[in-house]
Structure formats: structure tokens, C-alpha cells
Amino acid sequence: MQLEIEARIGGWLARWVDAVRRRAPWVVLLVIAVTAGALDYTARNLTIRGDTDALFSEDLPIKRAQRRLNEAFPILYENIFVVVDAATPERAGEAASALAAGMRGEPEHFHRVYLPGGGEFFEQHAFLYLETAELQDLADRLAEAQPYLAELSRDGTLRGLSSLLARGARAAGDGDVGGGQLRPMFEGYSDAVEARLSGGSYQLSWAEVLSGTEFDDGARRRFLLVQPVLDVSDLQPARAAILAIRRIAEELGLSPENGARVRITGDVALSYEEMESLRGQASRAGLASLVLVGAILLVALRSARLVLATLLTLAVGLVWTAGFTTAAIGHLNMISVSFAVLFIGLGVDFGIHLCIRYRELTANGRAHDAALRTTARDVGSSIVLCAATTSIGFFAFVPTDFVGVAELGLISGMGMFISLFLTLTLLPALLSLPGAHPRSVRAGPVWSDTGFVSLPVRSPRAVRAAALALAAGAVLLLPKARFDNNPLNVRDPSAESVQTFNELLERGTSSPWNLDVIAPDLETARSLAAEIRALDEVGRVVSVADYVPPDQDEKLDIIEDVAMFLAPPLGADGQRPRPTSAEQISALRALEAQLETLLAEGAVPELAASGARLHAALGRYLAQLAQLEDPRASIQALEASLLGSLPEQLRMLDAALGAGHVSLQNLPNALLERMIADDGSYRIQVSPSSRAGNQAELAAFVDAVHSVAPNATGGAAEVVAVGRAVVRALRQALLAAVVAITAFLLLLWQRVDDTALVLVPLGLAATFTVAAAVLMDIPFNFADVIVLPLLLGIGVDSGIHLVHRARISPPEGNLLGTSTARAVAFSALTTIASFGTLGFAAHRGLATLGQLLTLGVCFTMICNLVVLPSLIALRSPRRRLVGRRSEA
């Protein structure tokens, strides 16, 4: 029954190919016409969805929760996260404000630009957001610094600062001033002078000087949340907005050379840079794959005409598959754009099997027409089976929630049938065109039938025993296989957005993986925030109520006292005229002399080290100035290093002295629209207590918050939820593919033993692949999750071809010496060439996909060409004889 069905399919295909051969020119013309129509239709109608939202089903609970959040707070949807770092807090604030203003001036690129903690309101009320003790300490320091600030506000030049420090050194020597007050200024001055001497850059922070503490990197960083205008028809919807941000930053001089750095991250920027990376790396890998596939085809087919016909068939198949995609789906997503690579790697297999068998027959003296008919009869049925089983591996993803791969599965699954049709139609037609018949080349085995290659036939028991032992060891490794649900780990680690995102994850206080909870009213928001705060996994909880500072009356009294002793306004007594270069140098020499006196007296031990360092630095700097023909540029640069941030700090200090009471009613609208929805609901922001870059920690954080607020959504929840959805999709697709392929083979062949011969090496190869991934520390992730179902489809093809050929081989012959075995080997090599180059990509997703596919195809080829022949040797001579008589 099994052979009858295959013989019937083979007969139909032989008649079909013969009909195509007799009408070859008309078939080619018809295919050209259809291809031209498909190409035009695709070019006019196919779009690309570059947004990550298109990758998962809208019915996922996390997607529904995210939609509710987006509907309540549309301002939060698809934001770019801009990170501004600078040498000082003052410079960071100036740079962020300037960048925000520049973006607000381009509404064609940006809907909204929000500077958290920035703007006139937070500058005016900055002191109220300090703890009472912190504010009191700051007030005491400002009282001590008031005379110095007043002097610098009148003469904020290098002359003014140097004269001030000289007087301070003299007062310290007289015991009127404590050394602790001067030491930070001495050290900062030394840093600036030494930077000038070495050609480096330095910026003194007056915020640090006034606070008496050295700020961490977080104080020198500002964030902007930017809602860009997106073009969803573009593979990179935020391209124009991101390029505009970079242009504005460049125009403002926000560069490391000028003491500032602007970086972009967030989901939108990550997607943009990923597509930039994928486009370049995938194209290079595709070109390398094409060259390698062409070279392998030349070795396999030994005929330039056969290679050209195969490649033309492949190109037409690509166009037809793109046309089907346009008609059935209408768009490509970030995953399904790879269908072309998959089509090339798998579609070429059909052509290889047909051409190698055809070449073998013509080389043995068969005429062209007879060779085509016999080829269709011999390998046609197995090619049909392979197309069906490979498509099952793809179609298995269609019912899953992983829409990105489901669409790829539908496209590639149909692509296999398109490739099958063209292999049995266009390829024979091209070979049958007048003057296109390939010259006969004497066929010969690519490898010797003796030695190691014949081992599976000569020593089948040893091969089976070795395979069983290796399988037992591999099974022990399977529990250690892991799925990495961190989307950052599939991206290019050298991308700016990835590096910035990882850096923010390292800082728990600014983690981008937060959660958002919606409460129906303010009272519920306060109660819910308190519950969430009590969770160990939670680090920070912010609701709109937290923007109303506590103890305002007490703090306002302190601010009033500060305003009183700083009155009159700084700089109100009049500015001193700008000094000449000679006056600046004179002030430097006076400071140097005063330091020498202070050190000689030794009356202030606290200033011994810092004073000696500054004295030495000033001596070297004055000597350098003496050698310059015009010292003005050097003096101005030193002055900017020391006093560049002072005017901004004085302005902010003056603004903060005008603070008033803060209430929910007078909070800025830019903040309120992010915390209170139009329907009156309130948003609560929740951050993890740890860096949450670890999968287990992130999942624990999300699960803990969900135990209190089941509707919590946001980046952290989405990462965890879609990771779990992908794992479910993998299990569902793998199980569906195994069941469907097994049922299909049993239904068609109606023999358990032949089906087992195909599936056992396949299961062995899958086990070896997972074990190798464990040993090489290659995790399964969002990008390479399709590997196992895909390997199932690829591997079953080779098994079908070999089992089919085993029935028609003479009992004394070596299966590995047949054209079928050579076709299986060359098919595997072309697949490795198509995907293996991806393993060297910098993009981690492409790299792990290429690495796992290469490993899987290698193990599949080995198991099919080594283990399978040893299993076939289990067949009784009677079964093999039946196969021989049927062929006869």
C-alpha cells in the first residue's frame, strides 16, 4: 500500500513534468507573466510593520492591560527615552533644557517632550523636595558661603575667584576660617589647572561646592521622555524623530568634547537600532550565503546550466511568496522579514534533489525526456512529502499567540508549496528550453563507498550502540537548557540604545523596567501605593500625591531665613569691570604667593596636602603662560572650567528662594497629565528593589505586584508575560509539529517501522542540538525559538528521502553511495551556508539563530547519514527484496 501510493504520486508527477517539458517555452512565458504581476502587486501593496506590538496577539492579558493604560494615558505610549549626561549637575540641567526646547520647536517630529523634575515649577520648589534635615544643613552651608557668593556674583572671573581664595588662605592662616571650608575649593582649583596642563577637560560643580558633598553620576544625569511622530508604514517608524534628536543635539554642541553626552534608548529606540543592525548584518550574511550556496551547487550539480536554472527557480519562488504574503497578510513584521533567508535555505533543497537525480540519469545515458520523467517518478513523491512535512514545522506556529512567528510560519509554510510547484514546473521547463539541456557529466560519488563512510553499513551495531550512549549523555543535559526572556540579550550589545538601557538597569533607581498601576480615585491610589510599598521586591512607588512635599511650613520657614541672609539679590551691588589678561595673571601670582606663605607657616594642617598641590599646579601653569605669546585663550579656558557653572547655580539658587506651598492643584500640567487620566483615574509608578536584569528577579517583582494589583502593566510585566507566551508557543508548536508529522507519515505510508526510521534520527538530532546548546551556553530566546520546529521540518525531509531510496536500492548496495545521500548532504550544506553565516553576526539574536541552526543541521545530517543507515540495516532481507522487486 505504501509503495502503491508513492508510485501513484510518482506517476502523476512524471506525467506532469513530461507535459511541462513538451510546452516548455509557453510555461516559461506564463511564469514570467505571473512573476511580473506578483512583483508589481507586491511593490505597490506590501507594507512593513516595524512596531514590536505587532509581534504578539492582542488577546494576551498583558496586551489588554497595556491598551487600557494607553487609552487612559496616551501620552505614555511609544516614548523615546533620552539620557543626558554632563560633567556637572548644572551642565546636565542646561543641556537637557536646551534639548527639550529644541525638540518642542519641531512638532512635525515630536508630539510631546517631558523633562522630569525640570522646568520653572521644580526649580522654584526644589528645596521643598529635600528632607528637612538636608535643607537645614544646606541653609547652614549657604550662610557660611554668603560672603563668597556675594563677591563672586560681583566678579565671577578667574581674578575674582583667585583673589577670594587668596583672602581665604590668609584668613585660614590667621585662624578666622576653618580649613575644611577651603579644602574642596583648593582641590577643585587644582583639578582645573592640572587638566589645562595636560590638555584635558574639567568642570567644577558649584552645586557640589555649596552642598559640601560629591555627587554621584545620577546627579549629573537628566532624562527626557519624548513622544515621537511615528511612521508605522516604515520598518523603522521612529527614524525621522531619532535622527532629529541627534541633529538638534549636534547643533546645540551637546558632545563629550563640550562636557555633555546625549544617548537614546527605550523600546522605540531599541527597535530602531535593531532594524538598523539587522538590515546591515542580514544583508552581509545574505550575500555571503548566496556566494556559498552557489559554490556548493556548482560542486553538487557540476553544471553551470543546472545551477542557473535552480537559482532562477529560487528567485521566482521568492517573488511568488512575497505576492502571497501581500495578498494573505498585507505586511511583514520584524520577524517575518527573514522569510527570504529561510526560503533560500530550504527551497533550494528541492532543486538539489531533482537536479542531482536528473544529472545521475543523464550521465548514465538516459535521454533528456526520459531522465526528467524518471526523476519525477523517483524523487517526486519524496519531494512532495518533504514539502508537506517542512510546511508542518512552519504551520505549527500559526495558532500560537506569538504573531510574529505565526505570520512567518504561514508565509514560509506556503513558500514550501510554492517552491515545490516551481521545482516541478519551472525548473523542468528551463531545462527543456531549446539549447538549455545540460551536457552529460559522468556521475561519481563525492565520497568513497569504503572506509569511514561505509561504517554505518559495515558495522551497524557499533553505530547504534555509540548513538545510544551519546543520546543517554545528552538527555542528562536537557534539564539545563534555558530560555532567556530578556529582550536585550537578543540585540546587538554594541548598539547605543542597548548599552544605555543596560546601564540604567544597573541603577535600580532609574530602571526602565517599571510597572504602572491604575487606581479609580486618589484615596484608592494612596491605599494601593501603601500596599505595594510593603512588598520586599518593590523599591520605589510614586503616585501624584508623592509630588506634594511633607512638612512644607517648616521648610518654608528655613527657605525664608536663607532668603533673608542672602539678601540683597546676589550681584545687586554692581559688577566689576572685566579684567585684562595681566590682571588675571597677577591674581594667580598673588594666590600662589599666599599659598606659599600658608604652607610655610604650617598653621592649618587640614590644608597642607591640598594647598601644596594647588601651589605646585599654579607654579607649572604660570610657567606655561609665560611661554605663550598670547595667554588669553588659556586663561579663558581655565576660567570656564572653574566658573562656567556658577551663573546657572546662582540663577537656580535665586529661583529656589521664591518657593511657595505645593498642592495637587498647582502641580504643573505636564506632570498631572502623566499621573491623572481624563476619566479621573490615577497612575501609580512602581520600580523594582533590585536591578531586575536577572530573569528570576524581574519575574518575582512582577508576580509580587500582581498579587496586590492584578492590572499592573508596563515594561517589566510585558517582558515577563511575552517571555512566557513565547515558551508556550514553542511547546505548542513543537508538540503540534511532532504529532502532525507523525500522523501524516503514518497515514501516507501506513507503516510504523518506516515512520520510526524517519523520526528516531530526528529525535536524536534534536536531543544532541539542545545538549550542545547547553554545553556552549547558547540560550533559546525570542529570535531563535523557531529553531526546533524548523529543524523538525528540515530533518524529516532528509529522512524521507533516504528511507524512500532505501526501498529502491539493491540489497547489496550502500545507501550512502547513492545520489540521494549526496543530495541530502549537499542540501544540508546549502542550509548551513544559508544560516551559518548568521552565527558570526554582532546581533545576538541573529548569532544564536545561526549558531543553533548550524548545530541542528549538522547533527541532523550526521544522524541521517550515519545513524539512519545503521537502523535501515535492521530491515529483513525480505523487506529489502520487496522494495527491489517493486522498483523493477
Side-chain angles (χ1 to χ4, degrees), residues 550-580:
D551 307 321
Q552 293 192 52
D553 290 335
E554 184 179 357
K555 293 176 182 177
L556 287 171
D557 288 341
I558 297 173
I559 294 171
E560 186 178 351
D561 291 341
V562 174
M564 187 176 299
F565 65 66
L566 285 181
L570 298 175
D573 292 346
Q575 298 286 324
R576 293 186 62 185
R578 179 78 194 172
T580 64

Side-chain angles (χ1 to χ4, degrees), residues 733-754:
L734 195 56
L735 179 61
V738 170
V739 171
I741 289 174
T742 303
F744 180 79
L745 292 177
L746 286 173
L747 180 65
L748 186 67
W749 282 349
Q750 297 184 7
R751 295 204 62 91
V752 174
D753 56 347
D754 282 348

Side-chain angles (χ1 to χ4, degrees), residues 108-127:
E108 69 276 15
H109 291 136
F110 310 102
H111 289 302
R112 296 178 182 85
V113 179
Y114 178 59
L115 178 57
E120 183 179 343
F121 175 87
F122 287 104
E123 284 184 357
Q124 182 179 357
H125 299 91
F127 287 167

Side-chain angles (χ1 to χ4, degrees), residues 408-483:
L408 175 63
L410 178 62
I411 295 167
S412 298
M414 287 303 301
M416 292 301 96
F417 288 111
I418 290 172
S419 179
L420 171 67
F421 174 78
L422 291 172
T423 299
L424 295 172
T425 304
L426 178 60
L427 183 55
L430 290 172
L431 297 178
S432 301
L433 290 174
H437 299 176
R439 290 191 297 270
S440 296
V441 178
R442 172 56 55 185
V446 175
W447 48 67
S448 171
D449 284 351
T450 60
F452 178 77
V453 172
S454 62
L455 178 64
V457 178
R458 291 186 296 105
S459 306
R461 291 183 179 179
V463 171
R464 292 195 295 267
L468 185 61
L470 291 172
V475 167
L476 296 177
L477 293 173
L478 296 187
K480 297 182 180 180
R482 61 188 177 92
F483 177 79

Side-chain angles (χ1 to χ4, degrees), residues 607-632:
L607 294 177
S610 58
R613 179 188 170 202
L614 179 55
H615 180 267
L618 282 173
R620 295 197 305 275
Y621 183 63
L622 286 167
Q624 185 185 80
L625 289 180
Q627 298 176 1
L628 297 177
E629 183 177 341
D630 185 357
R632 284 179 297 180

Side-chain angles (χ1 to χ4, degrees), residues 14-25:
R15 290 190 292 272
W16 170 261
V17 168
D18 194 54
V20 166
R21 176 191 62 79
R22 287 184 277 107
R23 301 169 179 83

